[in-house]
Amino acid sequence: MNEINTFLTYLQSQQTAQKYLHHCYQRLEDTDAQNRSYENCNTFIYYLDHGQRFYENGRKADPLLQPVLYFYGMVHLVKACLLTKRPYYPESAALLAHGVTARKRKKKNYSFLKDEVKIQHNGLYPYFSEHLFSHKKHPFEKKSMESLLALLPEMIPLFDLQKKVELLPVGKLYSNLLQFPTTILDSYHLTEKAFINKISGYVPDMKYVDTDDNYIRIELTAPIKEANGPFYANRADSQLFFPSRREQFLPIPEVMIHYLILYNLSMLCRYEAEWWGDLFSTKPEIDYPFIRCFLQLTADKIPFLLGKYLYALH
């Protein structure tokens, strides 16, 4: 993280930001790299600066306020990333919308974990999903908060306490070995060959596959350097995880997952004062520990992941 923080600090000048953007734009077709890098460097600097300030202040703020600060911190960092790929962003006012909606909260028996967000056709979420992560088609229309949280490796201890195994350890980043329990074939309702085909598009080419009664072992021709859905990595130890059930198979990057959860939390924080206040004062539901743990996680992981995205382009 120190290397990434140093790099983000390095970008905080017109000269270095312009040089960086010029380098990015030279890779793009039909772009005047020299002109656009000068046009965008100040905006780029402010996106980075404001995003980092939102996160810095969010870490110091009462958890009651953190979702709004973290959500808009993330939005600014995402926009900085977009400027590296889309020199004319935003091309239209429609892109300024969030790109996600949350259903109206029911007054009784509301559960955050069971609540859902719905993807819209226009707005920031589908736009950055396509241009940063090449996801033009979304594998779902709406998703529950619990199903999204279950894909984050750092949330595993909470799910373990509920006796729910949603992610399985299958390897490590920078390793070319993967190992799946053979029981996963039952939960995915697939033969070994069909399962191998299912994951083959998300990993480097496979060198060989060895199977016994307990495990499917795969050697890859190259190590996995980045965790992209359906594989997710714990930042602390680089352990790679894979969804244990077919219903949880969601091939999208973790950044997109955090955006959806943070959007919903920020809406609750802003517009559902009574429920949000009760959550922090009386802690009536299981929602509370999941929300607190997620807020602690996202405060550090999203600046790291988006900073890593920018660093990889330099």
Side-chain angles (χ1 to χ4, degrees):
M1 187 64 183
N2 288 337
E3 186 177 50
I4 291 173
N5 284 335
T6 299
F7 179 68
L8 295 179
T9 301
Y10 169 77
L11 293 177
Q12 291 290 323
S13 76
Q14 291 181 351
Q15 181 180 0
T16 53
Q18 185 272 325
K19 182 180 178 181
Y20 173 74
L21 290 177
H22 184 269
H23 173 72
C24 293
Y25 294 163
Q26 283 184 311
R27 305 174 185 178
L28 306 177
E29 295 181 2
D30 302 320
T31 299
D32 183 343
Q34 189 73 10
N35 182 54
R36 292 312 303 171
S37 59
Y38 277 112
E39 289 284 334
N40 288 339
C41 69
N42 282 339
T43 303
F44 179 74
I45 289 171
Y46 287 129
Y47 280 153
L48 285 180
D49 180 57
H50 293 177
Q52 290 174 296
R53 290 194 191 198
F54 271 113
Y55 276 103
E56 288 167 5
N57 284 280
R59 295 182 193 105
K60 301 171 187 175
D62 190 299
L64 194 78
L65 310 174
Q66 286 177 341
V68 173
L69 295 169
Y70 291 157
F71 179 68
Y72 284 106
M74 181 177 189
V75 166
H76 280 82
L77 294 183
V78 163
K79 289 179 177 179
C81 292
L82 279 171
L83 271 188
T84 66
K85 297 290 183 71
R86 305 294 293 173
Y88 298 95
Y89 172 81
E91 292 93 327
S92 72
L95 299 178
L96 302 177
H98 296 311
V100 188
T101 57
R103 64 185 180 185
K104 188 175 181 180
R105 183 173 75 81
K106 294 180 180 180
K107 297 300 180 183
K108 291 183 179 180
N109 302 320
Y110 172 76
S111 166
F112 172 74
L113 292 179
K114 303 303 179 187
D115 197 7
E116 296 176 329
V117 288
K118 186 175 181 180
I119 309 304
Q120 294 182 310
H121 295 297
N122 297 308
L124 182 61
Y125 179 80
Y127 186 83
F128 85 74
S129 299
E130 176 181 354
H131 294 295
L132 297 186
F133 302 111
S134 301
H135 280 267
K136 294 183 179 181
K137 293 183 179 180
H138 298 283
F140 59 91
E141 180 184 0
K142 56 186 178 181
K143 272 287 178 182
S144 74
M145 297 294 97
E146 184 172 22
S147 66
L148 293 171
L149 287 165
L151 293 173
L152 306 179
E154 291 83 356
M155 300 295 292
I156 288 174
L158 280 181
F159 284 95
D160 282 348
L161 290 170
Q162 290 191 296
K163 310 300 182 185
K164 293 181 178 180
V165 180
E166 301 290 358
L167 289 174
L168 299 171
V170 296
K172 281 208 166 190
L173 283 179
Y174 311 111
S175 168
N176 61 347
L177 297 175
L178 293 174
Q179 180 174 275
F180 299 86
T182 52
T183 52
I184 200 169
L185 300 178
D186 295 329
S187 61
Y188 274 76
H189 311 295
L190 293 173
T191 64
E192 179 188 329
K193 182 177 179 181
F195 179 76
I196 296 299
N197 287 336
K198 187 178 184 69
I199 67 171
S200 63
Y202 305 103
V203 296
D205 291 339
M206 298 180 188
K207 194 171 182 179
Y208 78 84
V209 177
D210 178 52
T211 305
D212 59 27
D213 291 340
N214 298 315
Y215 291 101
I216 302 168
R217 298 179 180 88
I218 302 170
E219 182 178 350
L220 307 170
T221 57
I224 297 177
K225 296 180 180 180
E226 296 289 339
N228 289 311
F231 294 89
Y232 299 97
N234 187 316
R235 188 186 155 202
D237 59 9
S238 298
Q239 180 76 55
L240 269 182
F241 292 87
F242 188 84
S244 63
R245 298 181 295 115
R246 184 176 189 168
E247 296 78 12
Q248 280 294 92
F249 183 86
L250 191 63
I252 66 172
E254 189 171 335
V255 168
M256 294 166 63
I257 294 172
H258 282 252
Y259 184 94
L260 295 174
I261 300 171
L262 269 178
Y263 168 80
N264 203 18
L265 285 174
S266 72
M267 293 296 285
L268 290 170
C269 178
R270 283 179 284 172
Y271 301 117
E272 297 294 346
E274 183 179 354
W275 185 87
W276 191 247
D278 284 344
L279 178 77
F280 284 91
S281 60
T282 63
K283 306 174 179 61
E285 307 291 344
I286 194 172
D287 292 336
Y288 178 78
F290 278 87
I291 289 172
R292 283 303 306 272
C293 285
F294 171 75
L295 289 174
Q296 292 166 6
L297 165 64
T298 199
D300 292 319
K301 199 166 188 183
I302 285 301
F304 169 74
L305 291 175
L306 292 176
K308 189 176 180 182
Y309 184 95
L310 291 170
Y311 183 79
L313 297 175
H314 85 292

